[in-house]
Amino acid sequence: MSKVVILGGGYGGMMVVQELLEHIPDDKQLVLVERMPYQGLKTEYYALAAGTVSDLEIRVNYPVHPQLQMVYGNITDIDLENKIVRVANQEPISYDSLVIALGCTDNYHGIPGAPDYTCSIQSLSATRRTFQQINDIRPYGQLTIVGGGLSGVEVAAELRESRSDINIRILDRGNSVMSAFPGKLQEYVASWFRQHDVEMRSHISITSLEQGVIHNGGLESILTDVTVWTAGIQPVPLVQRMELPKDPQGRLVVNEYHELPDYAHVYVIGDCSSQPFSPSAQLAGAQGKQVSEVIRTRWQGRDPRLGRIKLKGVLGSLGKKAGFGLMGATPLLGRIPRMLKSGVLWKSKRHFG
């Protein structure tokens, strides 16, 4: 029986599973390897960290199907030469096709103290710990968010709605929050933060961190009670260790089929895959859809033909009532993009669940 092993049950991995299960031949088997017994909707981790949604609200159960085997555990190694995946304290798993969809971890850019004195929203377990730390901040205490991109902005805004008593600041290296986006969108987000007493500090160059202190070069020491790190991502350590061609961000180089050039039937999607787009749940899902198409076509003995990936845009929230988005070059501001984001979340839960 031909076996497809999928590593990681996030947006990309789940899309592969769902698509392949729809029309799976009797002589094929899928194996999904995951640490958690359910998918966490990562685009909503900011709300879990802020305490505005429960853990249960952002979980999706994995499908149940006679041709899908679930393996729970930590992946320790991928042996590409012998087509084997090793999982801690379990028998090795052989594969005919492999999909690497393991996601990302924080990138601390080599800054001393950053891994030890900040908290994260990159995994569900890390976000749970972050929720605990944030919500234990004393009244009028100080929360600092490092990074003024989409994740940092959503954490700050959501937390402002749930904890009006604490001081919130965002530190960023650039000129403004959301600096990768058009000026109109940047100003809208900055204006919302000014109205809601969120401090924004630009051109901050963090050189080190210690308990309760962030060092801005040799200029000043910034005091903080809790620090959330949202200043960059990189592929998971397992992918970092793989000695294969990578792009400057450490993501694995793939061909037009999302496949490792030197290893047929080994596909890489999501945050581990080198793409001409910024990493996102939407991109991982689109890649997952294409990889499932490639696998299905090859099952039928035909050569795959893929179109270009077309992304629909970006949506972000500022609390529960306001938001922002970018559709092509057009910024969307206010209540409409927030409603659209809620709709996308509802659809994700319905589709995957």
Side-chain angles (χ1 to χ4, degrees):
M1 181 174 278
S2 177
K3 188 190 297 183
V4 180
V5 176
I6 300 105
L7 308 182
Y11 292 97
M14 272 289 277
M15 183 64 77
V16 174
V17 170
Q18 293 277 24
E19 291 286 310
L20 290 181
L21 284 179
E22 281 191 13
H23 305 286
I24 188 166
D26 292 339
D27 63 341
K28 310 298 180 188
Q29 182 188 11
L30 305 186
V31 180
L32 178 58
V33 186
E34 242 294 332
R35 286 179 303 184
M36 308 291 287
Y38 38 73
Q39 181 194 6
L41 295 174
K42 192 172 183 179
T43 57
E44 305 305 305
Y45 284 3
Y46 72 92
L48 178 61
T52 58
V53 302
S54 73
D55 197 301
L56 193 60
E57 288 177 74
I58 58 170
R59 293 187 207 163
V60 175
N61 291 328
Y62 291 122
V64 176
H65 190 281
Q67 286 167 267
L68 172 65
Q69 177 190 354
M70 295 298 305
V71 174
Y72 297 113
N74 287 311
I75 301 158
T76 58
D77 184 47
I78 301 170
D79 184 341
L80 295 171
E81 302 298 336
N82 295 302
K83 296 190 171 184
I84 287 172
V85 174
R86 292 187 175 87
V87 181
N89 304 315
Q90 300 196 43
E91 289 295 313
I93 304 167
S94 63
Y95 63 82
D96 297 287
S97 297
L98 179 69
V99 181
I100 300 172
L102 290 169
C104 63
T105 186
D106 288 294
N107 187 346
Y108 297 107
H109 309 287
I111 297 173
D116 305 309
Y117 301 112
T118 67
C119 47
S120 169
I121 55 168
Q122 288 306 328
S123 70
L124 193 51
S125 55
T127 304
R128 289 171 176 143
R129 294 191 294 272
T130 298
F131 160 76
Q132 188 72 50
Q133 288 190 51
I134 288 176
N135 286 279
D136 282 347
I137 296 174
R138 69 186 189 283
Y140 311 109
Q142 179 70 58
L143 173 82
T144 303
I145 297 163
V146 177
L150 179 60
S151 295
V153 161
E154 289 192 311
V155 170
E158 196 78 7
L159 191 60
R160 173 47 77 223
E161 290 202 347
S162 70
R163 289 287 306 267
S164 60
D165 58 295
I166 65 173
N167 299 299
I168 301 171
R169 75 159 69 94
I170 298 178
L171 305 180
D172 196 73
R173 289 185 304 176
N175 296 323
S176 162
V177 291
M178 303 298 291
S179 58
F181 289 79
K184 186 177 179 183
L185 192 152
Q186 292 179 37
E187 180 50 39
Y188 176 75
V189 173
S191 174
W192 192 95
F193 280 148
R194 285 191 292 267
Q195 291 172 22
H196 292 82
D197 296 317
V198 174
E199 179 188 0
M200 295 167 286
R201 296 197 54 192
S202 305
H203 303 294
I204 301 295
S205 179
I206 297 174
T207 48
S208 65
L209 294 93
E210 53 189 291
Q211 184 63 48
V213 183
I214 300 167
H215 295 286
N216 178 23
L219 302 174
E220 62 177 329
S221 298
I222 301 170
L223 301 181
T224 183
D225 291 306
V226 172
T227 303
V228 180
W229 191 269
T230 65
I233 59 171
Q234 60 185 336
V236 293
L238 182 66
V239 169
Q240 292 177 37
R241 294 196 299 269
M242 295 175 78
E243 294 182 359
L244 293 169
K246 295 174 182 173
D247 68 12
Q249 287 74 44
R251 300 175 300 192
L252 290 164
V253 173
V254 293
N255 64 19
E256 67 269 33
Y257 305 122
H258 309 289
E259 183 179 39
L260 290 177
D262 295 330
Y263 294 94
H265 307 288
V266 177
Y267 308 92
V268 187
I269 58 179
D271 301 330
C272 299
S273 170
S274 181
Q275 295 293 313
F277 306 98
S278 297
S280 68
Q282 187 184 164
L283 174 60
Q287 288 179 277
K289 203 173 185 73
Q290 289 201 337
V291 164
S292 61
E293 190 179 327
V294 170
I295 292 172
R296 268 203 311 267
T297 304
R298 287 174 168 171
W299 280 347
Q300 296 161 5
R302 298 187 289 115
D303 290 330
R305 297 180 66 182
L306 297 177
R308 289 180 59 191
I309 287 177
K310 295 179 182 176
L311 301 180
K312 296 176 182 175
V314 179
L315 292 169
S317 67
L318 293 170
K320 299 299 184 197
K321 297 178 181 177
F324 53 89
L326 192 62
M327 300 296 159
T330 306
L332 302 177
L333 310 172
R335 190 177 287 267
I336 296 297
R338 185 65 185 90
M339 292 169 64
L340 287 172
K341 181 165 186 189
S342 296
V344 169
L345 174 62
W346 180 85
K347 189 177 178 183
S348 291
K349 293 188 75 167
R350 295 272 297 180
H351 176 74
F352 288 135

